[in-house]
Amino acid sequence: MDSSSPPHHHSNQNKTKIIVTMGATGCGKSRLSVDLATHFPHSQIINSDKMQLYNGLDITTNKIPLHERKGVPHFLLGDLDTIDADVLPSQFRSAAGLTIANIVSRGNLPLLVGGSNSFIHALLVETFDPQVDVFTGPDSVSHLLRYDCCFLWVDVAWSVLSDYLCERVDEMLESGMLEELAQFYDPTKVGVRVGLRKAIGVSEFDEYFRKYPPWESEANGRIPKEGCDQARKEAYEEAVRLIKDNTCILAKRQMGKIMRLRKAGWDLKRLDATATFRAMMMKKKKNKSSSAASSDLEWRDIWEREVMEPSVKAVRRFLQ
C-alpha cells in the first residue's frame, strides 16, 4: 500500500493529473486499474467503455463484478438506464469531464479505464470537434491534451490474445451470458442496432432466439447439451462463432486506434502482459486435463512483475 498523502493534482501547467489505462478488450485493464487504486488509496475509477455505461447485460458487456472492485469507487459504470439511445463522444466528454472535476475536488486521483478509444480521445483532447472522426478520416489526432495524463497501455501479443478472447466467450456463456441474453431478447427489436443493443452477443443471438424463442421452453435460455436437437445445436454454435469473430475484430480495431494515438505523439507506456496471459491459458489447460486445480500463483507473479510493478513506478514518478 502506498501510504503517501493524497496526491497533488496539478502539474506545472496547472492541469489536472489523471491516470489513463488503455488496451484492447480482454487485456486486463480493469484488473490493473483496481490493483493501482488499492496501491494509491485516493484513486477513483471512471469507466470509458461505451457498452459498460449502460445498466444491464453485465456478463455480456464484461463489467467488472462488484467483488473484484475491492471497494474502489467506480463512476459511469452501469449507470445509464436509457439503453435504446447511443452515447455520443461529445456527451461522454462532458459527463466524464464533470466526474473528473468532482473526484479532484474531493482530493482524489481520477483513474480512467476502458477500451473505447474514441471516447478517451474525445475526453482528453484540448479541442474536440464532434463532426470529425480522427480514426477514420485523414484528419490527424491532436497531441494537445486538456489534462496532464499518465498513459498505461496494456498490450498482449495477438496470437495469445485472440486465443484468450475465444476462451473468454466460452467462460462467459458458462457463467450465464445466454440466460442474460434470453431475458434481454425482444422480437420487436431484432435488427435494431442502437444503444446497448450494439453489445457483441445481442445481434449474434437474435437469429437463434428467433428460431428458438426463450419463452417457448425452459431449456431455451440454456446452453444446448449433447444429444439435443442437432439443428438447434448448430444454430447455437454459429451464434457463438460469430461472437468470437466479432470480439476479435473489435480487439483488432481497438489496437489500430491505440497505434494511431501513439503515432500522434500520445506518450503511452507499453506494458507487455503476454507472458501473464500465456501462463493463465496454460493453467486453464492443466485444470481441464487434471482433476486437481493448479494455483493462480504463477500468472499472478508474472502480472505483478511485468505489469503491476512498472505501472506503480510510472504512476509514482508521475505524481511526484
Side-chain angles (χ1 to χ4, degrees), residues 155-157 160 272-282 298-299 302-303 305-307:
D155 193 25
V156 179
V160 176
D272 190 350
T274 305
T276 300
F277 277 74
R278 204 174 272 127
M280 213 189 281
M281 302 280 284
M282 285 298 291
E298 191 189 352
W299 73 256
I302 302 170
W303 172 264
R305 191 173 63 244
E306 298 190 357
V307 180

Side-chain angles (χ1 to χ4, degrees), residues 168-223:
R168 187 178 74 160
V169 171
D170 294 332
E171 285 170 7
M172 286 157 68
L173 287 159
E174 280 157 25
S175 344
M177 178 179 173
L178 187 64
E179 292 89 323
E180 189 177 77
L181 288 166
Q183 284 170 9
F184 188 76
Y185 175 67
D186 179 346
T188 67
K189 301 250 171 90
V190 169
V192 175
R193 301 267 292 132
V194 72
L196 187 52
R197 292 184 186 282
K198 284 183 175 171
I200 293 175
V202 176
S203 67
E204 291 84 350
F205 263 110
D206 272 351
E207 187 57 23
Y208 174 78
F209 290 133
R210 201 174 59 74
K211 287 182 187 154
Y212 307 99
W215 50 85
E216 276 184 11
S217 135
E218 204 185 312
N220 281 349
R222 299 210 196 110
I223 296 173

Side-chain angles (χ1 to χ4, degrees), residues 265-285:
W266 287 34
D267 184 14
L268 312 185
K269 179 172 176 53
R270 181 175 173 270
L271 303 150
D272 190 350
T274 305
T276 300
F277 277 74
R278 204 174 272 127
M280 213 189 281
M281 302 280 284
M282 285 298 291
K283 174 194 173 276
K284 283 174 185 166
K285 279 197 182 83

Side-chain angles (χ1 to χ4, degrees), residues 153-164:
W153 162 36
V154 189
D155 193 25
V156 179
W158 180 247
S159 57
V160 176
L161 183 63
S162 53
D163 282 355
Y164 171 76

Side-chain angles (χ1 to χ4, degrees), residues 9-10 15-20 42 44-48 75-76 92-113 119-120 122-125 146-149:
H9 295 295
H10 292 91
K15 280 183 183 173
T16 297
K17 280 184 181 282
I18 69 169
I19 313 299
V20 184
H42 304 282
Q44 301 194 335
I45 293 171
I46 303 166
N47 163 55
S48 63
F75 297 92
L76 305 185
F92 180 77
R93 178 179 167 94
S94 59
L98 218 58
T99 307
I100 289 172
N102 287 338
I103 290 173
V104 170
S105 72
R106 293 190 295 268
N108 295 316
L109 174 69
L111 220 157
L112 186 72
V113 59
F119 276 19
I120 293 172
L123 169 66
L124 300 183
V125 288
R146 61 175 177 157
Y147 301 106
D148 185 10
C149 302

